[in-house]
């Protein structure tokens, strides 16, 4: 194809997106659209899979059977989310194997929030409430993404997320009705997870060079700062209601703007964690790679069995 | 030598009276495992009462590049629609 023809196709493509048409796997798309989608969608898939690790750790230590079945179901959902998203990404012409390879070699990223440790039971409450809460805000905005398979995966995921957040908040409601020790545990978890949760929305708009292109392609429907503000505005009253204090001395309601003003985010910490220097980056990768490698013989055996069944006796 | 599990397309009937609808895809070693995985991945909340799986490589699809010649001729055949025909206003139930 000549450069001119590609230009023409690109113009038609941009017009389709502007008309809110969906793009499907076999449609022509600019190479950059394909690559950007592979990057963002796989990063999203990896986050679901790595996100199982901090919570999976607590399943055997859940305090009651009710909490245990809920946590187990939530972690299973996250595996499902990862699978929906991997399949959707594969429609762009990359294999599952390549995607996992990118995760395991560190070429692909996942949400930096999962590089923080989950050290107490209150962390299970806080992760459900804040981390899934932040994820929901991101994901609802993506249900209208231009790439059909991504948007469809998002719709399915959003339907499942709301229980994740509610079970987390319920854990905190219960702890905040308990002993002083339990209340302290809940507050401590919030202190540790509040700022990393705000970082989940990514760098400020001013520091986010891809935002304009992503908005145009409807790979992003709202900017990082807008989503972050929405999260803060809806979360602060939820903390107050159960007696938790947001660890931000600059936080206050701005009547004029109809929003909460909040303090400075430590972006150095964010970039440190993204670059692999968070508290758990190495641990998460080690566990993930071991799970993959230890499962190889099972996958091989299943394949060998399937092939044997196909040979007529 | 490493062999990857093939890709399967999953179709789910959400209740009797409705058709099977494409839900997504997954990897599995064989058809039986594809059904089991589809159950776990796509019907954790009563989304279905029947599942079909078919290996993706067996699906033949039209190419969107040919959409013009394939689907556009139908556009100017308005006489295939009831609204094309002029009838007296008094006529009911037709
Ligand atoms: Fe999820
Ligand atoms: Fe979740």
């Amino acid at each position: 194809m000549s450069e001119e023809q590609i230009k023409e196709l690109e113009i038609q493509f941009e017009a389709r997106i502007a008309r809110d048409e969906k793009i499907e796997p076999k449609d022509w798309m600019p190479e950059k659209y394909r690559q950007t989608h592979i990057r963002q969608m796989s990063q999203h898939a990896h986050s679901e899979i790595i996100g199982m690790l901090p919570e999976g750790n607590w399943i055997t230590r859940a305090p009651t059977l009710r909490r245990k079945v809920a946590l187990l179901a939530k972690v299973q959902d996250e595996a499902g989310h990862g699978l929906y998203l991997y399949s959707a990404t594969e429609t762009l012409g990359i294999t599952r194997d390549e995607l996992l390879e990118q995760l395991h070699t560190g070429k692909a990223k996942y949400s930096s929030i999962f590089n923080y440790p989950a050290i107490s039971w209150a962390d299970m409450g806080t992760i459900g409430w804040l981390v899934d809460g932040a994820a929901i805000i991101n994901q609802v905005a993506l249900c209208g993404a231009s790439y059909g398979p991504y948007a469809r995966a998002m719709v399915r995921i959003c339907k499942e997320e709301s229980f994740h957040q509610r079970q987390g908040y319920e854990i905190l409601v219960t702890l905040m009705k308990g002993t002083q020790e339990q209340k302290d545990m809940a507050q401590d978890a919030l202190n540790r997870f509040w700022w990393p949760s705000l970082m989940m929305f990514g760098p400020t708009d001013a520091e986010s060079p891809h935002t304009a292109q992503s908005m145009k392609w409807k790979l992003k429907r709202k900017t990082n700062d807008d989503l972050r503000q929405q999260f803060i505005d809806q979360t602060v009253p939820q903390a107050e209601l159960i007696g938790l204090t947001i660890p931000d001395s600059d936080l206050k309601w701005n009547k004029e703007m109809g929003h909460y003003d909040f303090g400075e985010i430590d972006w150095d910490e964010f970039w440190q964690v993204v670059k692999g220097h968070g508290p758990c980056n190495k641990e998460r990768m080690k566990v993930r790679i071991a799970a993959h490698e230890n499962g190889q013989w099972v996958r091989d055996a299943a394949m060998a069995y399937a092939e044997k069944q196909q040979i007529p006796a | 030598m490493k062999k990857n599990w093939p890709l399967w397309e999953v179709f789910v009937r959400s209740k009797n009276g409705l058709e099977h609808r494409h839900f997504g895809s997954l990897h599995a070693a064989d058809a039986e495992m594809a059904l089991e995985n589809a159950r776990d991945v796509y019907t954790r909340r009563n989304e279905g009462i029947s599942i079909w799986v078919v290996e993706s490589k067996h699906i033949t699809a039209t190419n969107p590049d040919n959409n013009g010649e394939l689907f556009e001729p139908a556009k100017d055949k308005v006489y295939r629609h009831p609204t094309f025909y002029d009838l007296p206003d008094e006529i009911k139930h037709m």
Side-chain angles (χ1 to χ4, degrees):
Chain A
M1 234 185 292
S2 75
E3 225 166 275
E4 216 144 274
Q5 281 170 307
I6 291 179
K7 263 258 133 52
E8 183 54 39
L9 284 170
E10 275 174 4
I11 292 168
Q12 288 172 17
F13 181 84
E14 304 286 348
R16 288 183 65 191
I17 292 185
R19 284 196 301 271
D20 253 335
E21 278 181 38
K22 296 288 177 190
I23 307 302
E24 294 295 343
K26 291 185 140 212
D27 294 345
W28 185 88
M29 60 187 81
E31 194 47 32
K32 194 159 167 242
Y33 179 93
R34 183 190 302 277
Q35 293 307 335
T36 308
H37 274 74
I38 289 176
R39 182 159 43 80
Q40 181 173 321
M41 290 166 67
S42 66
Q43 189 169 323
H44 198 155
H46 300 326
S47 301
E48 303 283 355
I49 297 301
I50 299 294
M52 295 161 73
L53 300 178
E55 289 178 303
N57 239 340
W58 277 93
I59 292 171
T60 54
R61 289 175 287 167
T64 65
L65 185 57
R66 186 174 189 275
R67 294 286 184 231
K68 188 172 183 163
V69 290
L71 188 58
L72 197 56
K74 177 189 189 293
V75 173
Q76 193 189 5
D77 273 355
E78 307 301 3
H81 298 175
L83 292 175
Y84 306 154
L85 285 162
Y86 280 132
S87 313
T89 313
E90 287 170 74
T91 64
L92 290 162
I94 185 164
T95 65
R96 178 78 56 96
D97 229 34
E98 289 169 308
L99 291 170
L100 291 178
E101 177 80 14
Q102 289 179 354
L103 172 65
H104 297 158
T105 56
K107 186 175 173 246
K109 302 276 178 237
Y110 54 87
S111 179
S112 57
I113 191 79
F114 302 118
N115 290 317
Y116 290 87
I119 57 177
S120 79
W121 174 249
D123 289 10
M124 293 303 98
T126 310
I127 288 173
W129 174 41
L130 298 182
V131 176
D132 287 77
I136 290 170
I137 287 186
N138 264 325
Q139 289 163 350
V140 166
L142 286 168
C143 289
S146 66
Y147 188 56
Y150 193 32
R152 290 193 286 276
M154 278 303 123
V155 170
R156 197 182 302 280
I157 287 173
C158 284
K159 276 190 203 149
E160 301 184 349
E161 284 290 356
S162 119
F163 120 71
H164 297 181
Q165 194 185 17
R166 293 174 71 123
Q167 66 88 36
Y169 191 65
E170 195 196 82
I171 289 172
L172 293 175
V173 170
T174 307
L175 288 174
M176 291 307 286
K177 284 189 207 148
T179 62
Q180 190 56 46
E181 211 183 341
Q182 286 172 312
K183 290 178 188 172
D184 292 346
M185 186 171 40
Q187 182 63 51
D188 170 65
L190 175 59
N191 292 348
R192 284 180 287 108
F193 276 97
W194 175 252
W195 292 101
S197 300
L198 298 190
M199 295 176 197
M200 280 178 72
F201 297 95
T204 59
D205 296 347
E207 301 289 321
S208 181
H210 301 302
T211 293
Q213 180 62 269
S214 293
M215 297 279 283
K216 208 166 124 209
W217 278 341
K218 296 178 182 168
L219 178 55
K220 220 179 211 179
R221 310 293 317 241
K222 287 182 181 174
T223 71
N224 295 355
D225 287 335
D226 284 348
L227 293 168
R228 187 165 17 244
Q229 186 70 55
Q230 185 186 337
F231 175 74
I232 292 170
D233 291 345
Q234 80 175 39
T235 307
V236 173
Q238 295 169 355
E240 285 170 354
L241 185 72
I242 56 174
L244 286 167
T245 309
I246 303 281
D248 177 358
S249 53
D250 293 324
L251 186 85
K252 62 170 188 296
W253 179 247
N254 184 327
K255 222 167 143 188
E256 248 161 72
M257 304 296 286
H259 288 301
Y260 281 93
D261 292 332
F262 56 98
E264 192 68 40
I265 293 172
D266 182 354
W267 292 111
D268 285 343
E269 176 181 320
F270 173 76
W271 289 114
Q272 280 300 311
V273 180
V274 169
K275 285 180 187 137
H277 311 303
C280 299
N281 297 57
K282 290 196 181 69
E283 165 73 11
R284 299 287 184 247
M285 265 311 120
K286 205 177 85 192
V287 173
R288 172 62 218 154
I289 292 170
H292 187 69
E293 286 175 353
N294 294 338
Q296 187 63 47
W297 72 270
V298 180
R299 294 190 294 277
D300 290 344
M303 202 61 232
Y305 175 77
E307 282 171 348
K308 215 167 146 191
Q309 297 305 104
Q310 278 170 11
I311 300 167
Chain B
M1 194 194 66
K2 189 161 104 183
K3 275 191 198 144
N4 290 317
W5 289 357
L7 190 66
W8 300 74
E9 300 302 322
V10 178
F11 300 82
V12 176
R13 183 201 295 288
S14 44
K15 60 177 188 189
N16 271 2
L18 295 178
E19 65 279 72
H20 285 76
R21 205 163 56 79
H22 185 237
F23 260 46
S25 48
L26 49 76
H27 290 271
D30 56 25
E32 198 184 329
M33 186 195 283
L35 282 176
E36 284 163 4
N37 289 358
R39 168 192 169 272
D40 289 343
V41 177
Y42 291 106
T43 63
R44 286 193 302 285
R45 288 179 178 78
N46 305 309
E47 289 94 336
I49 52 137
S50 163
I51 303 174
W52 289 348
V53 291
V54 58
E55 219 182 308
S56 309
K57 69 174 186 201
H58 296 310
I59 291 183
T60 310
T62 57
N63 182 341
D65 290 347
N66 303 333
N67 275 9
E69 59 200 79
L70 280 174
F71 304 116
E72 256 155 44
K75 276 193 189 152
D76 54 20
K77 296 185 174 52
V78 283
Y79 47 86
R80 284 176 177 164
H81 298 277
T83 46
F84 179 73
Y85 298 92
D86 295 323
L87 296 184
D89 289 345
E90 295 78 29
I91 294 293
K92 303 268 187 280
H93 310 298
M94 190 182 283

